[in-house]
């Protein structure tokens, strides 16, 4: 079980479904939901200052949508890479998107913290695959 999962998506139904799947699978003890990349950057900056010396305070997994207002998933990945990755080197990101564009999948591989790319909605089977990838 992970200590914390952060779900970043502007769709409240997708967030609710992800939260339900994660809860039912006992995958994480804490689930944080945020509506866009900017909220996530702000949360992680605040969290980093609160838990600077506590590794257990760092989220281990982020589920990230690509298409969002304010700050989309690509912008979040750029900002996270430049500003926060050194404080969160063990974070893994799963892109969870309705996009089926092969260019998006290729582009996701440019970010070392991106573990995988899955289509929405999140399922129990995806959670099993994610758990295996994180544990490997």
């Amino acid at each position: 079980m992970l200590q914390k999962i952060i779900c970043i998506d502007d769709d409240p139904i997708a967030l609710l479904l992800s939260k339900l799947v994660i809860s039912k699978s006992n995958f994480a003890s804490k689930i944080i939901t945020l509506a866009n990349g900017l909220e996530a950057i702000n949360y992680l900056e605040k969290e980093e200052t609160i838990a600077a010396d506590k590794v257990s305070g760092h989220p281990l997994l982020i589920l990230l949508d690509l298409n969002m207002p304010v700050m989309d998933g690509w912008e979040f990945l750029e900002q996270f890479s430049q500003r926060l990755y050194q404080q969160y080197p063990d974070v893994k990101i799963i892109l969870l998107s309705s996009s089926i564009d092969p260019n998006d999948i290729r582009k996701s591989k440019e970010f070392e913290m991106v573990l995988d790319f899955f289509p929405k909605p999140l399922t129990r089977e995806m959670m099993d695959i994610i758990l295996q990838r994180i544990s490997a």
Side-chain angles (χ1 to χ4, degrees):
M1 177 186 284
L2 298 178
Q3 181 183 4
K4 189 187 305 183
I5 292 180
I6 297 175
C7 299
I8 308 167
D9 198 319
D10 64 315
D11 180 353
I13 294 170
L15 284 174
L16 178 65
L17 288 172
S18 292
K19 205 169 181 179
L20 284 171
V21 169
I22 294 165
S23 295
K24 287 188 179 223
S25 63
N26 292 319
F27 196 74
S29 55
K30 188 170 186 181
I31 305 165
I32 306 296
T33 58
L34 303 165
N36 60 62
L38 183 58
E39 282 185 19
I41 292 293
N42 290 338
Y43 173 83
L44 290 167
E45 286 178 334
K46 179 182 147 201
E47 189 71 6
E48 191 274 327
T49 59
I50 291 169
D53 297 323
K54 298 179 183 176
V55 174
S56 63
H58 290 214
L60 296 174
L61 182 65
I62 295 174
L63 301 179
L64 177 65
D65 184 27
L66 291 177
N67 301 310
M68 297 177 286
V70 183
M71 181 186 284
D72 68 22
W74 297 122
E75 293 168 313
F76 169 83
L77 285 169
E78 289 291 337
Q79 290 291 316
F80 182 83
S81 295
Q82 294 170 9
R83 296 170 45 193
L84 295 167
Y85 191 47
Q86 289 193 351
Q87 285 81 25
Y88 294 98
D90 297 326
V91 169
K92 298 298 178 197
I93 297 175
I94 300 292
L95 296 179
L96 194 61
S97 179
S98 55
S99 172
I100 55 170
D101 185 346
N103 291 323
D104 285 341
I105 296 169
R106 262 186 245 110
K107 185 176 180 178
S108 73
K109 295 177 184 189
E110 296 173 12
F111 297 93
E112 69 178 278
M113 74 286 302
V114 173
L115 192 61
D116 218 329
F117 191 111
F118 288 108
K120 284 184 184 179
L122 183 66
T123 65
R124 172 61 196 224
E125 292 77 19
M126 288 177 195
M127 294 302 297
D128 292 339
I129 292 167
I130 293 167
L131 184 59
Q132 288 173 3
R133 299 276 321 272
I134 288 174
S135 301

